[in-house]
Amino acid sequence: MTDKIPDSYESIPKWDVALEALARNEYQKKGVALRIDDFARLAKDHAIRFDDIMVTLFELVLQGEWRYENDERVIKVFTRDEVNHLYVNGRLSDRDVRHYTGYWSPIFR
C-alpha cells in the first residue's frame, strides 16, 4: 500500500461546486460583482444555508478562483488562518461575515 494520493484526487475542487455554479450563474445574470445581500437572498431562495455559500466563496478566494474587493474596491487577499478564525463552533454566522460587505466576483482566465 502506498501513502501517495492519486493524481485524480488533486484535481477535486476544495469547494462546493454546486454552490459555486449558483454564485457564478447569479454573477452572470446580474453582470456585476455580487454582495453579501445577494448571497443571503440566494440562500433563502434556494433553501441553502447562508454559511455554506459563504464558506464556498471564502474557499474560492483562497484558491484564486474568485476575488473579494472591499467597499473601496481594494482587492483583499485572505489567508487560511484568517478564514479559519471566522468559524465559531464549526459554522459561520452572520456576525462573522458582516464586515465583508464588498464585492465578490469570479476570476476569468
Side-chain angles (χ1 to χ4, degrees):
M1 182 169 221
T2 179
D3 290 334
K4 184 175 182 324
I5 297 172
D7 290 339
S8 62
Y9 289 128
E10 292 174 11
S11 65
I12 296 173
K14 297 177 183 188
W15 57 86
D16 186 313
V17 294
L19 294 180
E20 180 200 12
L22 181 67
R24 188 175 291 269
N25 184 51
E26 184 68 11
Y27 171 84
Q28 290 171 338
K29 283 194 313 190
K30 287 187 76 171
V32 297
L34 302 178
R35 310 225 31 199
I36 206 155
D37 290 342
D38 294 310
F39 300 122
R41 180 181 40 76
L42 286 172
K44 182 180 177 189
D45 290 351
H46 296 278
I48 298 166
R49 288 167 39 157
F50 172 72
D51 72 311
D52 287 342
I53 292 175
M54 294 312 300
V55 165
T56 295
L57 267 293
F58 279 111
E59 190 62 40
L60 286 164
V61 172
L62 286 169
Q63 297 299 321
E65 299 293 324
W66 280 59
R67 72 174 177 212
Y68 172 77
E69 299 174 5
N70 66 20
D71 289 323
E72 291 78 36
R73 300 305 291 236
V74 175
I75 293 175
K76 165 78 171 125
V77 178
F78 299 119
T79 66
R80 174 68 61 196
D81 285 341
E82 182 179 5
V83 171
N84 287 345
H85 281 95
L86 292 174
Y87 295 90
V88 175
N89 298 322
R91 307 295 304 170
L92 287 175
S93 73
D94 293 345
R95 185 183 68 226
D96 298 328
V97 297
R98 70 174 177 242
H99 302 292
Y100 300 99
T101 58
Y103 305 88
W104 303 79
S105 58
I107 296 173
F108 296 98
R109 301 175 208 274

